[in-house]
Each structure stands twice: as structure tokens, then as C-alpha cells.
Amino acid sequence: MAKVIDEKLQQQLAKARSNYETSQLVDPHVLFATFDEVEDKLNITLTNSTSFAVPRKLLQGLSDANPQQVKQIEVTPLQDGVFWEELDVHINIPALLQGVFGTKAWMNMVRKEISKLGGQSKSNAKVEAARENGKKGGRPRTKKTTES
């Protein structure tokens, strides 16, 4: 009788291991996280062997922290996020993968900063377009409309 129970238990354990491994591929969790001080990025590796990096300045609560504080990364017990106890910062990885770097107010500020950088960029196409506009007398003036 004990042998039958042992065999059933072994089968159940094998099935549970298989289910766990499959779930890690479908619903990955954080395996580990590191901070690259040179690149100033948070590197996160997931249980499905994928990894990604996020610039620290985009993450709410980390943008003003010093690098030594940022290096003190811990993975949450459920492996669905990372946190910094000293900084009282928690980042949910599923939300981060969807492009959420903080609260709505933080995201609006980040969007404005990114937009500002885009407008300041120099490209050959942008330089050429400016030259062509210059040949035509520059940017057209805004026409004032009169109301009747």
C-alpha cells in the first residue's frame, strides 16, 4: 500500500514540477535584478530567460537616488516585482513591461521630458527640411482670422 502511495506522490510531484516550469514560461517572474552604474540602467532577468533594461531616470523613486542606494535591489517574495526598502520604492514588473514607470503624474512628467528630447534631436532629415524651408522664406506665418 505504501508503494502505491509513493508512486502516486511521485507522479503528482512530477506533474506539479511540469506545471510550474510551464507557468514560468507563460507567466514569467523576476529571477534577479541588477543595477548597471555605467549605463545607469536597471537590468531585470525573468524566469523565462528573457531580460530587459530600463533607464533609472524613468523610474519613479529612483531618478534622484544615489547609485549605491539603487544597487540595493531586492526581488519581492512573489517574484512579481523589485523593491528598495531604504528608498521605500516598489516596482511591479508586469506594469513595467506595459510601460508604466510610476504614478499618472510621474508618467505625464516623463512623457514631457521624452517629448522635449525628441524635439531637440538633430537628424539629417531634420537639417535638410530646415534648409528647404529656409529657401522658401522659412516657416509660414500664422494667418490671423477676423471674426465677423
Side-chain angles (χ1 to χ4, degrees):
M1 181 75 160
K3 186 173 181 167
V4 172
I5 293 173
D6 285 346
E7 287 177 16
K8 284 188 176 183
L9 183 59
Q10 291 301 325
Q11 289 172 351
Q12 289 173 345
L13 284 172
K15 185 176 180 180
R17 282 189 191 103
S18 176
N19 288 344
Y20 174 77
E21 289 168 4
T22 302
S23 75
Q24 293 300 300
L25 293 174
V26 174
D27 185 22
H29 292 77
V30 179
L31 189 58
F32 62 89
T34 59
F35 175 64
D36 182 341
E37 197 169 344
V38 175
E39 294 285 327
D40 200 26
K41 291 182 179 181
L42 179 65
N43 297 307
I44 299 170
T45 300
L46 304 177
T47 53
N48 64 359
S49 300
T50 60
S51 60
F52 63 97
V54 182
R56 175 175 62 111
K57 66 183 177 185
L58 295 181
L59 299 168
Q60 185 174 9
L62 297 182
S63 61
D64 295 330
N66 72 51
Q68 293 307 314
Q69 290 174 307
V70 180
K71 284 183 178 181
Q72 306 303 313
I73 308 166
E74 295 182 54
V75 176
T76 60
L78 294 176
Q79 294 181 292
D80 64 343
V82 290
F83 69 99
W84 291 260
E85 191 167 334
E86 181 182 338
L87 299 171
D88 194 24
V89 173
H90 176 273
I91 296 175
N92 179 275
I93 299 306
L96 186 61
L97 289 171
Q98 293 177 4
V100 178
F101 304 116
T103 63
K104 191 172 185 175
W106 176 261
M107 292 296 296
N108 287 333
M109 190 273 304
V110 167
R111 281 188 190 102
K112 287 177 187 173
E113 290 298 315
I114 291 172
S115 296
K116 189 188 308 181
L117 291 173
Q120 295 173 351
S121 70
K122 303 275 188 211
S123 68
N124 291 336
K126 203 170 181 182
V127 169
E128 192 60 37
R131 279 195 190 118
E132 290 301 313
N133 280 338
K135 291 177 186 175
K136 298 175 186 174
R139 188 179 291 243
R141 296 200 180 269
T142 306
K143 295 180 182 178
K144 292 183 180 180
T145 58
T146 57
E147 295 183 357
S148 303

